Amino acid sequence: MNDQDGPMWPMTSITYPSSKTALTMITTMYAKELWDTPIKVNAANPGYCATDLNHNTGFRTPEQGAEPIVHLATLPADGPTGQLWGYRWGATDGIEYGRLPW
């Protein structure tokens, strides 16, 4: 939200980013609670996908949006937990998906 070159800079809504922040914290709390179990709890960011929700204005397809979700659903037993993971908007290192800061 503070990166003037990022996709979220123009957004002035309070409710949408606040709800995403809350979901990320809920993800973190569940991951902490289940830390010593085989259960992984992560949040997925599909990126800005063309869907009915945004009148199909997104630049990613629904299939592309499913990629980070499938990745998290098929993590190995030693995979990460408690992370926000998904599409990295504007990544300059050539890595399209990864851990996202929040």
Side-chain angles (χ1 to χ4, degrees):
M1 294 302 293
N2 288 337
D3 180 1
Q4 292 182 8
D5 296 322
M8 301 304 286
W9 180 257
M11 182 179 284
T12 57
S13 168
I14 297 289
T15 53
Y16 183 81
S18 297
S19 70
K20 298 306 174 198
T21 299
L23 286 173
T24 303
M25 181 55 74
I26 290 168
T27 299
T28 301
M29 293 296 104
Y30 279 136
K32 287 172 66 173
E33 183 70 24
L34 298 166
W35 194 265
D36 293 324
T37 75
I39 299 170
K40 307 290 179 221
V41 183
N42 293 290
N45 174 27
Y48 190 46
C49 297
T51 65
D52 291 344
L53 181 66
N54 60 30
H55 306 289
N56 295 299
T57 59
F59 59 86
R60 293 172 49 78
T61 67
E63 292 79 12
Q64 288 172 313
E67 290 173 5
I69 298 163
V70 170
H71 170 79
L72 291 173
T74 58
L75 285 172
D78 63 347
T81 191
Q83 293 187 7
L84 173 57
W85 196 93
Y87 180 71
R88 297 176 64 222
W89 175 289
T92 58
D93 57 8
I95 301 172
E96 189 174 18
Y97 297 103
R99 185 172 185 251
L100 302 170
W102 67 282

